[in-house]
Amino acid sequence: MFLQNIEQYEIILASKSPRRQQLLSDLGLKFTVQSMDIAEVFPAGLGMTEVPVYLAELKAEAFRPQLKQNQLVITADTIVWLDGKVLNKPVDYADGFRMLKDLSGKKHQVVTGVCLLTTAKKVSFFASTDVWFKLLSDEEIHFYLENYRPYDKAGAYGIQEWIGYVGINHIEGSFFNVMGLPVQSLYERLKAF
């Protein structure tokens, strides 16, 4: 195994996201999943890369009181950034429609903040990917929302789903970051941990 330096740790992935769980599993790591319901609220004035790192650290710090010496918590938060604003998870169908309409025909950034926390160490980082959507028709947006119900996804879409197949015509950066976990960056941080 390439990550022998972290075999001493019991790894906890603090995420309900099935995509993050799959990506971490595909990296060859053994881990348990635990999550806490943390309000994803951040101070006004934070920049594009600061928001997801702040939220990832907030999620990690919630584990600190019960963290054991041999445990390593991995947290992540992904945001969609469009025209200087964060697009969170949509609250309902209308919100999802509005978000996808806003993203249609434009470039946006997907930024994931990650925090690695043990009792002795904390490492935080982010990865950013530029994503370009083609102009989406109202029918395409309705079809996607009705059939995929992306209410657990920032920006109301999953790149690995139908909308990604037909609507995203270009990305620069990590595909897996857009899915919610910048696996290659995480691997490098874990190697150096």
Side-chain angles (χ1 to χ4, degrees), residues 87-99 145 149-156:
L87 298 185
N88 287 313
K89 297 169 186 162
V91 295
D92 57 22
Y93 190 98
D95 196 31
F97 187 88
R98 179 192 57 77
M99 286 183 190
L145 291 171
R149 308 186 60 76
Y151 303 115
D152 64 335
K153 297 174 179 70

mmCIF file of all heavy atoms in Angstrom, residues 87-99 145 149-156:
data_model
loop_
_atom_site.group_PDB
_atom_site.id
_atom_site.type_symbol
_atom_site.label_atom_id
_atom_site.label_comp_id
_atom_site.label_asym_id
_atom_site.label_seq_id
_atom_site.Cartn_x
_atom_site.Cartn_y
_atom_site.Cartn_z
ATOM 1 N N LEU A 87 -23.344 28.953 -4.661
ATOM 2 C CA LEU A 87 -24.586 28.224 -4.904
ATOM 3 C C LEU A 87 -24.541 26.982 -4.019
ATOM 4 O O LEU A 87 -23.728 26.083 -4.237
ATOM 5 C CB LEU A 87 -24.724 27.811 -6.376
ATOM 6 C CG LEU A 87 -24.790 28.915 -7.427
ATOM 7 C CD1 LEU A 87 -25.043 28.306 -8.801
ATOM 8 C CD2 LEU A 87 -25.861 29.930 -7.096
ATOM 9 N N ASN A 88 -25.392 26.943 -3.008
ATOM 10 C CA ASN A 88 -25.449 25.805 -2.102
ATOM 11 C C ASN A 88 -26.308 24.699 -2.703
ATOM 12 O O ASN A 88 -26.641 24.726 -3.879
ATOM 13 C CB ASN A 88 -26.016 26.250 -0.747
ATOM 14 C CG ASN A 88 -25.011 27.074 0.029
ATOM 15 O OD1 ASN A 88 -23.857 26.709 0.142
ATOM 16 N ND2 ASN A 88 -25.461 28.192 0.573
ATOM 17 N N LYS A 89 -26.701 23.756 -1.859
ATOM 18 C CA LYS A 89 -27.643 22.718 -2.287
ATOM 19 C C LYS A 89 -29.012 23.376 -2.455
ATOM 20 O O LYS A 89 -29.408 24.205 -1.638
ATOM 21 C CB LYS A 89 -27.710 21.624 -1.232
ATOM 22 C CG LYS A 89 -26.380 20.914 -1.045
ATOM 23 C CD LYS A 89 -26.397 20.025 0.180
ATOM 24 C CE LYS A 89 -25.004 19.453 0.411
ATOM 25 N NZ LYS A 89 -24.828 18.945 1.762
ATOM 26 N N PRO A 90 -29.742 23.007 -3.493
ATOM 27 C CA PRO A 90 -31.061 23.624 -3.694
ATOM 28 C C PRO A 90 -32.050 23.172 -2.621
ATOM 29 O O PRO A 90 -32.018 22.020 -2.198
ATOM 30 C CB PRO A 90 -31.481 23.124 -5.072
ATOM 31 C CG PRO A 90 -30.717 21.848 -5.268
ATOM 32 C CD PRO A 90 -29.420 22.010 -4.523
ATOM 33 N N VAL A 91 -32.904 24.086 -2.210
ATOM 34 C CA VAL A 91 -33.886 23.750 -1.170
ATOM 35 C C VAL A 91 -35.110 23.050 -1.750
ATOM 36 O O VAL A 91 -35.796 22.321 -1.053
ATOM 37 C CB VAL A 91 -34.317 24.995 -0.354
ATOM 38 C CG1 VAL A 91 -33.145 25.543 0.434
ATOM 39 C CG2 VAL A 91 -34.909 26.071 -1.249
ATOM 40 N N ASP A 92 -35.384 23.281 -3.031
ATOM 41 C CA ASP A 92 -36.544 22.650 -3.661
ATOM 42 C C ASP A 92 -36.375 22.695 -5.184
ATOM 43 O O ASP A 92 -35.356 23.148 -5.703
ATOM 44 C CB ASP A 92 -37.848 23.328 -3.228
ATOM 45 C CG ASP A 92 -37.884 24.828 -3.523
ATOM 46 O OD1 ASP A 92 -37.129 25.305 -4.405
ATOM 47 O OD2 ASP A 92 -38.679 25.533 -2.870
ATOM 48 N N TYR A 93 -37.393 22.220 -5.882
ATOM 49 C CA TYR A 93 -37.368 22.148 -7.347
ATOM 50 C C TYR A 93 -37.127 23.517 -7.970
ATOM 51 O O TYR A 93 -36.278 23.672 -8.863
ATOM 52 C CB TYR A 93 -38.704 21.560 -7.831
ATOM 53 C CG TYR A 93 -38.733 21.213 -9.306
ATOM 54 C CD1 TYR A 93 -38.520 19.909 -9.722
ATOM 55 C CD2 TYR A 93 -39.002 22.184 -10.271
ATOM 56 C CE1 TYR A 93 -38.564 19.568 -11.074
ATOM 57 C CE2 TYR A 93 -39.043 21.857 -11.620
ATOM 58 C CZ TYR A 93 -38.821 20.553 -12.013
ATOM 59 O OH TYR A 93 -38.851 20.229 -13.341
ATOM 60 N N ALA A 94 -37.868 24.516 -7.513
ATOM 61 C CA ALA A 94 -37.753 25.866 -8.090
ATOM 62 C C ALA A 94 -36.344 26.422 -7.901
ATOM 63 O O ALA A 94 -35.784 27.061 -8.800
ATOM 64 C CB ALA A 94 -38.787 26.796 -7.467
ATOM 65 N N ASP A 95 -35.754 26.166 -6.734
ATOM 66 C CA ASP A 95 -34.398 26.634 -6.448
ATOM 67 C C ASP A 95 -33.391 25.929 -7.357
ATOM 68 O O ASP A 95 -32.472 26.546 -7.900
ATOM 69 C CB ASP A 95 -34.086 26.374 -4.969
ATOM 70 C CG ASP A 95 -32.882 27.159 -4.468
ATOM 71 O OD1 ASP A 95 -32.636 28.282 -4.974
ATOM 72 O OD2 ASP A 95 -32.194 26.666 -3.558
ATOM 73 N N GLY A 96 -33.586 24.614 -7.540
ATOM 74 C CA GLY A 96 -32.716 23.857 -8.443
ATOM 75 C C GLY A 96 -32.813 24.359 -9.869
ATOM 76 O O GLY A 96 -31.810 24.500 -10.575
ATOM 77 N N PHE A 97 -34.042 24.648 -10.307
ATOM 78 C CA PHE A 97 -34.244 25.168 -11.655
ATOM 79 C C PHE A 97 -33.525 26.510 -11.824
ATOM 80 O O PHE A 97 -32.824 26.728 -12.815
ATOM 81 C CB PHE A 97 -35.739 25.324 -11.968
ATOM 82 C CG PHE A 97 -36.003 25.703 -13.401
ATOM 83 C CD1 PHE A 97 -36.139 24.719 -14.360
ATOM 84 C CD2 PHE A 97 -36.084 27.032 -13.781
ATOM 85 C CE1 PHE A 97 -36.356 25.056 -15.699
ATOM 86 C CE2 PHE A 97 -36.294 27.380 -15.107
ATOM 87 C CZ PHE A 97 -36.435 26.393 -16.072
ATOM 88 N N ARG A 98 -33.686 27.389 -10.840
ATOM 89 C CA ARG A 98 -33.037 28.705 -10.894
ATOM 90 C C ARG A 98 -31.523 28.568 -10.984
ATOM 91 O O ARG A 98 -30.867 29.240 -11.787
ATOM 92 C CB ARG A 98 -33.419 29.525 -9.646
ATOM 93 C CG ARG A 98 -32.758 30.904 -9.600
ATOM 94 C CD ARG A 98 -32.913 31.578 -8.244
ATOM 95 N NE ARG A 98 -32.385 30.791 -7.127
ATOM 96 C CZ ARG A 98 -31.089 30.676 -6.834
ATOM 97 N NH1 ARG A 98 -30.169 31.273 -7.564
ATOM 98 N NH2 ARG A 98 -30.702 29.955 -5.794
ATOM 99 N N MET A 99 -30.946 27.678 -10.174
ATOM 100 C CA MET A 99 -29.490 27.487 -10.183
ATOM 101 C C MET A 99 -28.998 27.003 -11.542
ATOM 102 O O MET A 99 -28.030 27.527 -12.089
ATOM 103 C CB MET A 99 -29.073 26.482 -9.104
ATOM 104 C CG MET A 99 -29.127 27.018 -7.705
ATOM 105 S SD MET A 99 -28.514 25.756 -6.553
ATOM 106 C CE MET A 99 -28.972 26.504 -4.998
ATOM 107 N N LEU A 145 -33.997 17.560 -13.322
ATOM 108 C CA LEU A 145 -34.536 17.721 -11.967
ATOM 109 C C LEU A 145 -35.578 16.652 -11.640
ATOM 110 O O LEU A 145 -35.612 16.123 -10.523
ATOM 111 C CB LEU A 145 -35.139 19.114 -11.787
ATOM 112 C CG LEU A 145 -34.141 20.278 -11.763
ATOM 113 C CD1 LEU A 145 -34.879 21.606 -11.813
ATOM 114 C CD2 LEU A 145 -33.238 20.199 -10.537
ATOM 115 N N ARG A 149 -33.239 14.419 -9.280
ATOM 116 C CA ARG A 149 -33.497 15.030 -7.990
ATOM 117 C C ARG A 149 -32.203 15.388 -7.238
ATOM 118 O O ARG A 149 -31.921 14.830 -6.176
ATOM 119 C CB ARG A 149 -34.388 14.117 -7.153
ATOM 120 C CG ARG A 149 -35.646 13.703 -7.917
ATOM 121 C CD ARG A 149 -36.634 12.927 -7.123
ATOM 122 N NE ARG A 149 -37.145 13.636 -5.962
ATOM 123 C CZ ARG A 149 -38.044 14.614 -5.997
ATOM 124 N NH1 ARG A 149 -38.532 15.022 -7.153
ATOM 125 N NH2 ARG A 149 -38.455 15.184 -4.892
ATOM 126 N N PRO A 150 -31.412 16.311 -7.756
ATOM 127 C CA PRO A 150 -30.078 16.601 -7.201
ATOM 128 C C PRO A 150 -30.094 17.557 -5.996
ATOM 129 O O PRO A 150 -29.332 18.519 -5.942
ATOM 130 C CB PRO A 150 -29.375 17.236 -8.398
ATOM 131 C CG PRO A 150 -30.466 17.992 -9.091
ATOM 132 C CD PRO A 150 -31.685 17.114 -8.952
ATOM 133 N N TYR A 151 -30.944 17.278 -5.019
ATOM 134 C CA TYR A 151 -31.092 18.203 -3.904
ATOM 135 C C TYR A 151 -29.991 18.067 -2.849
ATOM 136 O O TYR A 151 -29.920 18.872 -1.931
ATOM 137 C CB TYR A 151 -32.483 18.042 -3.264
ATOM 138 C CG TYR A 151 -33.567 18.265 -4.298
ATOM 139 C CD1 TYR A 151 -34.420 17.241 -4.669
ATOM 140 C CD2 TYR A 151 -33.687 19.497 -4.939
ATOM 141 C CE1 TYR A 151 -35.384 17.444 -5.643
ATOM 142 C CE2 TYR A 151 -34.649 19.696 -5.918
ATOM 143 C CZ TYR A 151 -35.495 18.671 -6.263
ATOM 144 O OH TYR A 151 -36.436 18.872 -7.231
ATOM 145 N N ASP A 152 -29.128 17.062 -3.008
ATOM 146 C CA ASP A 152 -28.005 16.906 -2.079
ATOM 147 C C ASP A 152 -26.694 17.384 -2.702
ATOM 148 O O ASP A 152 -25.621 17.089 -2.199
ATOM 149 C CB ASP A 152 -27.874 15.437 -1.654
ATOM 150 C CG ASP A 152 -27.521 14.509 -2.813
ATOM 151 O OD1 ASP A 152 -27.826 14.850 -3.987
ATOM 152 O OD2 ASP A 152 -26.947 13.433 -2.557
ATOM 153 N N LYS A 153 -26.801 18.137 -3.803
ATOM 154 C CA LYS A 153 -25.599 18.544 -4.532
ATOM 155 C C LYS A 153 -25.504 20.066 -4.651
ATOM 156 O O LYS A 153 -26.467 20.721 -5.049
ATOM 157 C CB LYS A 153 -25.594 17.921 -5.938
ATOM 158 C CG LYS A 153 -25.535 16.403 -5.915
ATOM 159 C CD LYS A 153 -25.690 15.826 -7.303
ATOM 160 C CE LYS A 153 -25.617 14.324 -7.300
ATOM 161 N NZ LYS A 153 -26.775 13.688 -6.678
ATOM 162 N N ALA A 154 -24.332 20.591 -4.346
ATOM 163 C CA ALA A 154 -24.090 22.023 -4.519
ATOM 164 C C ALA A 154 -24.309 22.395 -5.978
ATOM 165 O O ALA A 154 -23.893 21.665 -6.882
ATOM 166 C CB ALA A 154 -22.662 22.374 -4.095
ATOM 167 N N GLY A 155 -24.987 23.509 -6.204
ATOM 168 C CA GLY A 155 -25.238 23.957 -7.568
ATOM 169 C C GLY A 155 -26.313 23.170 -8.288
ATOM 170 O O GLY A 155 -26.562 23.386 -9.468
ATOM 171 N N ALA A 156 -26.934 22.222 -7.613
ATOM 172 C CA ALA A 156 -28.058 21.436 -8.144
ATOM 173 C C ALA A 156 -27.669 20.501 -9.290
ATOM 174 O O ALA A 156 -28.482 20.199 -10.150
ATOM 175 C CB ALA A 156 -29.212 22.349 -8.572
#
